[in-house]
């Protein structure tokens, strides 16, 4: 069952900024879905629309197989939400804040009190539980936000940059918590630009670029699509000299120096020739004083992400044409060639800031 489904989801603000452009994605139950992309790509907008905090300009959103709207509060009661850089009441403590969140969800005291205590323990906030929130570190406030998002025992978690401000230990602990929640059947949408987090945790990813969903699928599928026939060599010795020789002696390969001791090799040859050509490369390197330390499949999610964005940029012209078609469908028309006519107009009956 798909917990979240979007169909041609589009969001345009009054300033004519296209935040999301006809996004279609389906997120199955019990998975961690990584929504990744550069800053300003539309990730936070997508989460707010899924949460029902804003109204889409066009398209539909279904959550738990029901349409999500501004008035479907019964759906939001099943969702936990962590906003990026969320604001907290400065004069409250973690205990009083979580107690307030529980009351707003209508959780009775006999359940609310043990739950907030367990969450403070789980998020390593017991020692800070009676401090004013304004005195907490950024990492502690992030962990408090995650605890608040879990206060209603949600079926769906929407987390906007949940590991920002966490130290390495806190980050590792938080990612382990997400894994445990998934094992309990929770569905998590994780918006992040920290790609190692998505690589380590997510089952599926969706890549947003300028509001357009340019890839959606499993993490492993994405890596296979973008880094086929590519390996990384960890080496020592006369690396530059060895690469110069291998470049001359071996055909059908491309070399890329990733660091002082890492060389990436992309094979242009047919699959059956892989072993033969790799042997030639290693022989050329060894004859010129290069010592091989390890061989491993190339790349991670960050490599795949960057390659996908590059491919999307190459398709920029086609995307621009698609955007014009969508704008026309929404009633947004570009300026006429007639200089007496005004700026583009948005034909909408709403005067709200969010459309």
């Amino acid at each position: 069952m798909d917990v979240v489904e979007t169909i041609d989801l589009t969001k345009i603000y009054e300033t004519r900024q296209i935040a999301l452009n006809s996004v279609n994605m389906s997120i199955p139950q019990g998975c961690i879905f990584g929504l990744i992309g550069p800053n300003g790509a539309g990730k936070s907008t997508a989460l707010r629309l899924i949460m029902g905090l804003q109204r889409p300009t066009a398209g539909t959103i279904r959550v738990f197989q029901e349409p999500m709207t501004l008035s479907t509060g019964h759906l939001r009661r099943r969702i936990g939400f962590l906003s990026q850089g969320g604001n907290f009441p400065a004069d409250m403590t973690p205990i009083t804040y979580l107690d307030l969140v529980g009351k707003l969800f209508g959780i009775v005291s006999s359940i609310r009190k043990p739950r907030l205590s367990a969450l403070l323990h789980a998020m390593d906030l017991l020692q800070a539980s009676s401090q004013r929130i304004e005195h907490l570190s950024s990492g502690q406030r992030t962990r408090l936000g995650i605890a608040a998002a879990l206060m209603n025992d949600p079926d769906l978690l929407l987390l906007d940059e949940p590991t920002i401000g966490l130290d390495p230990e806190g980050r590792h602990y938080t990612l382990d918590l997400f894994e445990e929640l998934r094992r309990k059947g929770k569905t998590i949408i994780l918006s992040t630009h920290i790609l190692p987090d998505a690589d380590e945790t997510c089952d599926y990813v969706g890549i947003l670029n300028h509001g357009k969903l340019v890839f959606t699928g499993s993490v492993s599928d994405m890596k296979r699509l973008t880094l086929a026939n590519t390996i990384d060599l960890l080496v020592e010795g006369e690396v530059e000299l060895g690469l110069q020789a291998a470049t001359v002696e071996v055909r059908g390969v491309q070399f890329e120096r990733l660091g002082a001791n890492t060389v990436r090799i992309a094979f242009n040859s047919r699959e059956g020739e892989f072993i033969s050509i790799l042997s030639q490369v290693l022989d050329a390197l060894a004859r010129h004083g290069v010592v091989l330390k390890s061989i491993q499949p190339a790349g991670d999610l960050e490599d795949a992400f960057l390659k996908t964005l590059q491919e999307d940029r190459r398709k920029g012209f086609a995307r621009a044409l698609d955007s014009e078609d969508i704008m026309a469908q929404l009633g947004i028309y570009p300026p006429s060639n007639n200089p007496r006519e005004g700026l583009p107009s948005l034909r909408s009956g709403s005067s709200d800031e969010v459309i």
Side-chain angles (χ1 to χ4, degrees):
M1 181 185 76
D2 289 332
V3 172
V4 175
E5 180 184 17
T6 69
I7 303 171
D8 294 331
L9 184 62
T10 300
K11 181 65 184 175
I12 303 175
Y13 292 97
E14 283 190 353
T15 56
R16 278 48 173 189
Q17 174 194 359
I18 301 178
L20 288 179
N21 186 349
S22 193
V23 170
N24 293 280
M25 61 183 179
S26 299
I27 300 175
Q29 182 178 5
C31 78
I32 300 180
F33 185 93
L35 196 59
I36 62 179
N39 291 332
K43 303 187 299 295
S44 296
T45 297
L47 292 186
R48 289 194 294 268
L49 289 168
I50 293 171
M51 185 69 180
L53 301 179
Q54 293 183 346
R55 185 171 65 251
T57 307
T60 57
I61 310 165
R62 295 183 63 83
V63 179
F64 305 119
Q65 300 187 322
E66 294 185 42
M68 173 61 82
T69 68
L70 298 181
S71 60
T72 48
H74 69 285
L75 295 180
R76 276 186 287 280
R77 292 190 187 97
R78 299 176 61 187
I79 300 174
F81 180 58
L82 172 68
S83 62
Q84 183 179 353
N87 294 319
F88 300 94
D91 58 344
M92 297 187 78
T93 68
I95 290 177
T96 57
Y97 177 69
L98 292 181
D99 192 52
L100 173 62
V101 171
K103 289 178 179 178
L104 292 175
F105 276 110
I107 304 172
V108 298
S109 178
S110 60
I111 297 176
R112 188 174 71 248
K113 299 293 186 179
R115 184 174 295 171
L116 73 85
S117 177
L119 287 170
L120 288 171
H121 177 76
M123 299 313 300
D124 194 24
L125 288 170
L126 282 178
Q127 292 185 342
S129 60
S130 60
Q131 296 181 25
R132 288 165 60 98
I133 293 177
E134 63 181 350
H135 296 148
L136 300 182
S137 68
S138 60
Q140 288 174 322
R141 286 195 294 270
T142 297
R143 297 201 301 273
L144 177 59
I146 295 173
L150 292 169
M151 193 64 197
N152 61 324
D153 190 23
D155 297 311
L156 171 64
L157 270 169
L158 307 179
L159 306 173
D160 199 353
E161 303 287 358
T163 56
I164 282 184
L166 298 180
D167 58 25
E169 182 181 3
R171 171 185 166 273
H172 181 75
Y173 183 87
T174 300
L175 295 180
D176 284 347
L177 172 65
F178 297 160
E179 291 277 2
E180 180 64 25
L181 291 169
R182 173 176 56 182
R183 284 193 289 269
K184 292 182 177 180
K186 309 294 186 183
T187 305
I188 301 173
I189 302 179
L190 175 67
S191 168
T192 184
H193 69 276
I194 305 176
L195 297 179
D197 288 356
D199 197 3
E200 180 178 341
T201 306
C202 295
D203 305 296
Y204 304 95
V205 294
I207 298 180
L208 281 171
N209 188 34
H210 298 295
K212 190 76 171 179
L213 190 68
V214 298
F215 177 87
T216 182
S218 70
V219 171
S220 57
D221 283 346
M222 183 178 176
K223 291 179 179 179
R224 282 196 294 267
L225 286 171
T226 55
L227 288 171
N229 298 321
T230 308
I231 62 172
D232 286 345
L233 304 182
L234 182 62
V235 293
E236 290 182 353
E238 300 294 332
V239 180
E240 193 62 38
L241 181 62
L243 284 180
Q244 291 175 3
T247 301
V248 173
E249 297 175 19
V250 185
R251 303 297 180 186
V253 293
Q254 293 179 330
F255 299 95
E256 180 182 359
R257 188 79 175 270
L258 299 183
N261 298 308
T262 305
V263 176
R264 175 159 297 171
I265 306 177
F267 294 82
N268 302 324
S269 56
R270 293 187 298 273
E271 183 176 352
E273 301 173 345
F274 176 86
I275 297 298
S276 174
I277 294 179
L278 176 59
S279 297
Q280 295 177 43
V281 170
L282 298 180
D283 181 63
L285 293 175
R287 283 188 286 102
H288 291 84
V290 178
V291 178
L292 177 66
K293 305 298 288 186
S294 69
I295 301 176
Q296 58 187 8
D300 52 23
L301 192 60
E302 184 168 1
D303 298 303
F305 169 70
L306 294 174
K307 287 180 179 291
T308 303
L309 290 190
Q310 291 170 1
E311 178 64 23
D312 184 56
R313 292 189 188 102
R314 285 194 288 270
K315 298 177 180 178
F317 179 71
R319 186 173 65 248
L321 293 179
D322 290 343
S323 296
E324 290 178 4
D325 292 341
I326 291 172
M327 292 173 72
Q329 294 170 15
L330 297 174
I332 305 173
Y333 300 95
S336 168
N337 292 329
N338 185 341
R340 291 177 297 178
E341 294 188 17
L343 294 173
S345 61
L346 177 61
R347 298 180 180 178
S348 172
S350 171
S351 59
D352 295 341
E353 180 182 353
V354 178
I355 61 171

